[in-house]
Amino acid sequence: MPAFNLATCARPNILALEPYRCAREYATLSSPRPPLLNPSSFLFSRPCIVSNPFLSSDYKDDGTNILLDANENAFGPSLTPPAGASSSSSSSSTDIDWLGLHRYPDPHQRDLKQLLCALRNTHAHTPATLTPDHLFVGVGSDEAIDALIRCFCVPGRDRILTCPPTYGMYSVSAQVNDVSLVKVPLGPAPTFALDVPAVTDALSAPGSETIKLAYFCSPGNPTGALLAKADIETILAHPTWNGVVVVDEAYVDFAPDGASLAELVTQHPNLVVMQTLSKAFGMAGIRLGAAFTSPEIARVLNNLKAPYNISSPTSALASAAVGPQGLAVMRANLARIVAQRERLVAELPRVPGVGRLRGGTESNFLLYEMLNAAGEPDNDVAHKVYSVLAENQGVVVRFRGKEHGCLGCLRITVGTEEEVTRFLSSLKEVLAQVRGQ
């Protein structure tokens, strides 16, 4: 009998890890769960597509489901299709060197980095100029989140600060790296502003020298609200805290022009601004993220990464997306998303059982309350609406009622005109059914 025992061989924090689950996993069970699985782990989870043998089906983009749960760009990638091809064609005019795939990709990606710098060199905040030396590129923003923790935090000793409600990957990466959390909740809905005095106090308290990173999401997820530049600058200027401020700008292209603070990394040596091509650029499938920061921090991150972390096809597709033609496609799609976002803001309050908008409108999603028959925000109602929409209507949104300040809330990604029409009709029907009206 082999002596191997997974329970005693693996790291305890990994065995205890609550992983990122996917809202699209939620379905009726086709077979019993093993006794060690926690039923709640299949609910209230991160939107993505995975295969799970204990679920009867996943919600995939098969042409019948409406997927408004993952904050993807329903209008598609920021690529120009070849002449005569439809926007859904699998081919494009992107110049990929197919014969070069037997070679490892460029480990430095300076040409791609220069395109990303050109995108963010707006000089809205400073005359200084971003260069490729200010950049780390990785497999989505998630690689940067994890890399920063590995760079700055000693496992079992150091901590990171987060402000719930916020993106769940900060806490998952912390747990993977055996790093503790300090949570300072955002202010009340609908503004969800940083509680600057509370954050400052946390960074000044005894033992605060072990807080190495402060993660702020702007626009927030699930709040959709932009954080104030002045608040972030106040924290950057903390007189005693020796740590790094990380601003996650995954949704910044949906905010007003000039909202990105990427340029400020030229002025603040302790600032990191993360961005992604998964949202406004519609390139979630290639997993390309970027972290703008000081050349010194960028050097540490680049030293840490795997040698060829960005594949050649990813680099080519990303370069096309942020090139002149790709930017034109992105901006046209962005205008369509904004139009549908405004439509949802106008029409959702007319649906019986829909309550207040509880977040901002600076993203490609909206956070709305679901009300019970007494007119109160209600988690049971919201979760039933979420479940029935997915199972009976093929419309997948995101339940957010367990998050701080989000009682009874669903997060709804802005879709195409046709998707929004079907969502509104389905929501009206399901709310009436769930509320018994």
Side-chain angles (χ1 to χ4, degrees):
M1 176 69 69
F4 175 72
N5 184 333
L6 178 64
T8 57
C9 186
R11 293 164 57 196
N13 61 304
I14 301 301
L15 292 174
L17 181 67
E18 181 67 27
Y20 248 7
R21 296 292 186 187
C22 308
R24 293 174 197 174
E25 288 181 283
Y26 182 77
T28 56
L29 293 173
S30 59
S31 59
R33 289 190 185 94
L36 292 180
L37 288 178
N38 177 4
S40 66
S41 69
F42 290 90
L43 306 178
F44 322 138
S45 48
R46 181 180 185 269
C48 61
I49 300 175
V50 302
S51 176
N52 192 305
F54 302 108
L55 295 175
S56 61
S57 63
D58 295 329
Y59 294 100
K60 295 182 172 65
D61 189 4
D62 61 359
T64 63
N65 295 317
I66 303 297
L67 306 180
L68 304 180
D69 59 313
N71 300 339
E72 298 152 326
N73 186 333
F75 290 92
S78 298
L79 300 174
T80 306
S86 69
S87 60
S88 61
S89 173
S90 60
S91 63
S92 78
S93 58
T94 305
D95 185 17
I96 297 178
D97 179 12
W98 301 108
L99 297 180
L101 292 180
H102 64 300
R103 301 296 184 192
Y104 285 113
D106 176 4
H108 304 296
Q109 300 292 334
R110 289 189 71 85
D111 291 343
L112 173 58
K113 290 176 180 178
Q114 185 57 58
L115 289 170
L116 292 167
C117 288
L119 176 66
R120 300 308 177 194
N121 275 323
T122 62
H123 302 301
H125 304 287
T126 174
T129 298
L130 292 162
T131 72
D133 290 336
H134 290 96
L135 264 175
F136 167 83
V137 290
V139 182
S141 299
D142 295 341
E143 183 175 357
I145 293 168
D146 178 72
L148 286 162
I149 293 175
R150 288 188 288 138
C151 279
F152 289 98
C153 296
V154 176
R157 186 192 75 183
D158 289 336
R159 301 176 290 166
I160 67 170
L161 183 145
T162 64
C163 295
T166 193
Y167 181 40
M169 197 61 196
Y170 312 141
S171 61
V172 171
S173 290
Q175 187 172 353
V176 166
N177 289 285
D178 197 15
V179 169
S180 299
L181 295 179
V182 176
K183 296 183 180 181
V184 179
L186 295 172
T191 55
F192 286 109
L194 280 178
D195 187 342
V196 176
V199 171
T200 300
D201 288 346
L203 299 179
S204 305
S208 60
E209 67 276 2
T210 63
I211 302 175
K212 296 297 184 67
L213 300 161
Y215 283 93
F216 304 130
C217 199
S218 179
N221 176 13
T223 70
L226 199 66
L227 300 179
K229 173 187 173 183
D231 290 347
I232 291 171
E233 288 188 312
T234 297
I235 296 164
L236 283 165
H238 193 288
T240 61
W241 178 58
N242 180 26
V244 177
V245 171
V246 185
V247 180
D248 187 345
E249 291 188 343
Y251 302 96
V252 76
D253 292 297
F254 302 103
D257 290 344
S260 174
L261 302 183
E263 290 179 323
L264 289 183
V265 304
T266 62
Q267 309 295 311
H268 298 279
N270 59 331
L271 174 63
V272 177
V273 176
M274 301 188 303
Q275 297 183 354
T276 180
L277 298 191
S278 296
K279 306 304 179 183
F281 284 89
M283 303 293 288
I286 70 169
R287 307 299 295 125
L288 192 287
F292 295 87
T293 188
S294 67
E296 292 78 15
I297 292 180
R299 190 176 305 116
V300 173
L301 291 171
N302 285 310
N303 288 343
L304 175 75
K305 73 174 182 65
Y308 307 106
N309 63 329
I310 303 300
S311 72
S312 296
T314 291
S315 179
L317 290 164
S319 296
V322 296
Q325 290 182 317
L327 285 173
V329 174
M330 185 274 282
R331 287 163 180 154
N333 288 339
L334 180 60
R336 297 184 182 100
I337 291 170
V338 170
Q340 292 306 309
R341 184 178 70 191
E342 293 174 350
R343 177 188 172 195
L344 282 167
V345 171
E347 296 190 26
L348 274 170
R350 303 173 191 163
V351 176
V354 172
R356 298 168 293 179
L357 173 65
R358 298 307 284 156
T361 57
E362 287 86 29
S363 192
N364 69 331
F365 59 84
L366 298 166
L367 188 70
Y368 269 93
E369 292 174 333
M370 300 294 114
L371 308 179
N372 58 27
E376 303 162 333
D378 189 305
N379 271 355
D380 287 340
V381 169
H383 191 262
K384 287 176 184 175
V385 169
Y386 156 68
S387 300
V388 175
L389 277 173
E391 293 180 359
N392 296 352
Q393 303 283 342
V395 177
V396 188
V397 295
R398 185 77 189 274
F399 173 73
R400 275 316 203 181
K402 296 289 186 178
E403 301 272 346
H404 173 81
C406 301
L407 178 66
C409 284
L410 297 180
R411 193 194 68 192
I412 304 146
T413 303
V414 178
T416 64
E417 181 177 1
E418 294 78 13
E419 289 173 338
V420 169
T421 297
R422 179 170 156 189
F423 163 71
L424 288 168
S425 174
S426 297
L427 178 66
K428 183 176 181 180
E429 177 184 336
V430 171
L431 266 170
Q433 173 187 339
V434 168
R435 300 170 80 226
Q437 297 177 348

